[in-house]
Amino acid sequence: LPISGKVNFFSGTTLLGSAPFAICGDNSPGHQNACASFSTTALPHGQDSLTAQYSGDANYAASTSSPTPVTVLYATQTSLTTSSSTVQHGTSVTFTARITTPQTGAPPISGTVSFSYNGVQLGTVNVTNGQAQLTTSALPGGIFDIVGQYSGDGNFASSIDFAPETVNLLNTITSVTTSNSVITQGSSITLT
């Protein structure tokens, strides 16, 4: 017999919403699978416990799911800037990652920011007052996307940003001198 009725979804004892059933999964003879789906953005920050309660119908008894734990973190945005987008090789450059959240009244942001390029780690810095800074002169010549990856913490979700950086190789001058400006064919000459 088809399953009817609805499912109520709860956060703790708070009703989040309801959804009707739709057929899903294996519905071969002898099997009856029905699903109810519900989406929400209303979960509060912190630890939560979600349950689903089936209302039952004329043929099927009501039932309640086991609680499912979920952790809701504040969203963050990482903004990565560079002290100079183009530097000479061997010159120090400072990368600053600023971590913000749109949530008002949130606690201070903690955690770390990992700085890297092309999969090469430059260093990891603690977040203080919403930002982390790394100064380095270790970049090789080339054009890179510097990555600033915020780790997140117990209250905040991780986030990432990129900053382009060009490292120019140092200029060189090549000159040549000879041991003699006039020689006899077959004689030795030294080029420096």
Side-chain angles (χ1 to χ4, degrees), residues 8-94:
N8 293 323
F9 296 90
F10 289 87
S11 167
T13 59
T14 302
L15 177 64
L16 296 172
S18 303
F21 279 111
I23 294 175
C24 66
D26 179 11
N27 283 287
S28 59
H31 293 84
Q32 175 66 207
N33 289 299
C35 299
S37 292
F38 175 80
S39 297
T40 183
T41 59
L43 294 180
H45 168 264
Q47 303 293 321
D48 209 341
S49 181
L50 305 179
T51 55
Q53 291 183 355
Y54 168 52
S55 63
D57 63 15
N59 298 304
Y60 298 97
S63 60
T64 301
S65 72
S66 298
T68 297
V70 64
T71 301
V72 181
L73 301 174
Y74 292 125
T76 64
Q77 181 176 359
T78 296
S79 176
L80 183 63
T81 58
T82 175
S83 59
S84 178
S85 60
T86 302
V87 294
Q88 290 292 107
H89 182 261
T91 302
S92 291
V93 60
T94 298

Side-chain angles (χ1 to χ4, degrees), residues 55-190:
S55 63
D57 63 15
N59 298 304
Y60 298 97
S63 60
T64 301
S65 72
S66 298
T68 297
V70 64
T71 301
V72 181
L73 301 174
Y74 292 125
T76 64
Q77 181 176 359
T78 296
S79 176
L80 183 63
T81 58
T82 175
S83 59
S84 178
S85 60
T86 302
V87 294
Q88 290 292 107
H89 182 261
T91 302
S92 291
V93 60
T94 298
F95 301 105
T96 302
R98 290 178 176 84
I99 318 302
T100 58
T101 179
Q103 182 64 45
T104 57
I109 295 175
S110 64
T112 61
V113 174
S114 176
F115 297 88
S116 64
Y117 71 96
N118 292 352
V120 178
Q121 288 294 319
L122 292 170
T124 300
V125 180
N126 290 328
V127 175
T128 303
N129 297 323
Q131 72 175 29
Q133 277 191 340
L134 176 81
T135 299
T136 182
S137 58
L139 291 171
I143 300 174
F144 309 102
D145 271 335
I146 305 300
V147 179
Q149 171 75 59
Y150 169 57
S151 65
D153 63 15
N155 290 306
F156 296 95
S158 64
S159 55
I160 192 171
D161 195 24
F162 305 87
E165 188 69 35
T166 299
V167 180
N168 293 323
L169 294 176
L170 298 176
N171 292 328
T172 60
I173 298 173
T174 301
S175 61
V176 63
T177 59
T178 63
S179 57
N180 295 297
S181 60
V182 178
I183 62 168
T184 304
Q185 185 178 11
S187 300
S188 174
I189 187 171
T190 300

